[in-house]
Amino acid sequence: MHTSVAMTDIGRRRKVNQDYVYACDQPVGNLPNLYLVADGMGGHKAGDLASSYAVKKIIEAVSRCTDTRPALILQKSIRYANYQLFQKSKESEDYYGMGTTLVALTVDEKEALAVNIGDSRLYEVTSKGIRQISEDHSLVAELVRKGEITPSEARTHPDKNIITRALGIQEEAQMDLFPFEVEQGNRYLLCSDGLSNMVEDHKLCSLIQKDTSLYNISAELILEANRHGGTDNIAVVLVEIE
């Protein structure tokens, strides 16, 4: 059994919250559980619709998917949500070009699977430290991978908000899958860049390692992001392997 907490906050600068979170510790369709973070983009009417609509369509598709393999369930459901969102974006001028990042996690006993599109992240926190499991689909992440800038330069780069992949902006979704093993006591953080851009990894680690409730930790993570400026919406889903 796993426990989780999902929270989102508008931050200190934005007028609309375009982040959307979902956490279910119980089975969803043939998945044992499901955790999602989506960070919408587009005009102010479009971004919040994109993230909530995509998450709802994923849940709908997972619930009725007859496959039993998590990778197939998630891939099919995300492709379905992508297509639905892409069609939705054509309905109104206000929705034109809308899209969303997505990071998804499902955990089955000792095996877990994450799916990522964009720059929302999945971190693993253990007693040994923190590691990012997902890989950002962003301009600065590409530059870091090519060795053209350092990770610390990426944090303050003027183009750090430019993502190279998103859900809903084209007919076919491009996603990365990350299968990995989990252990009892591990904690997993799914978050939008409103948290990861504001709070450095070592600080995320020390907060998540605290011996307190997931609720308290999640609230503290949001407080910390707002303390550092809160320039964007903040989304947190925290999962503990019990």
Side-chain angles (χ1 to χ4, degrees), residues 66-207:
T66 55
D67 278 294
T68 53
R69 281 182 288 174
L72 279 178
I73 297 169
L74 283 174
Q75 281 173 304
K76 285 182 176 179
S77 301
I78 291 165
R79 284 194 190 114
Y80 168 78
N82 180 79
Y83 180 77
Q84 294 291 328
L85 185 59
F86 184 63
Q87 297 307 318
K88 188 91 177 157
S89 71
K90 298 175 185 172
E91 282 179 15
S92 146
E93 222 171 87
D94 288 338
Y95 298 162
Y96 178 75
M98 72 177 176
T100 182
T101 70
L102 177 78
V103 61
L105 173 69
T106 185
V107 185
D108 191 9
E109 294 183 10
K110 295 194 172 178
E111 297 288 317
L113 179 70
V115 180
N116 179 48
I117 301 170
D119 64 353
S120 293
R121 291 181 176 177
L122 172 68
Y123 288 98
E124 176 181 74
V125 177
T126 68
S127 56
K128 292 180 185 138
I130 189 168
R131 76 177 175 114
Q132 184 181 335
I133 290 173
S134 59
E135 282 187 12
D136 296 355
H137 302 131
S138 68
L139 202 60
V140 295
E142 300 289 344
L143 295 174
V144 170
R145 283 194 279 272
K146 287 179 187 162
E148 290 175 26
I149 61 170
T150 66
S152 60
E153 286 169 335
R155 291 192 71 80
T156 54
H157 198 282
D159 295 332
K160 73 169 183 227
N161 290 330
I162 299 174
I163 58 174
T164 53
R165 287 191 209 173
L167 195 70
I169 56 167
Q170 56 192 36
E171 212 146 348
E172 284 290 318
Q174 277 184 290
M175 63 190 98
D176 284 349
L177 275 72
F178 302 91
F180 60 98
E181 290 184 2
V182 302
E183 287 181 14
Q184 196 176 336
N186 289 6
R187 286 175 174 171
Y188 293 90
L189 169 69
L190 295 82
C191 68
S192 62
D193 66 343
L195 179 66
S196 56
N197 280 343
M198 294 285 114
V199 186
E200 295 205 29
D201 289 8
H202 67 87
K203 183 64 180 174
L204 292 176
C205 184
S206 66
L207 289 172

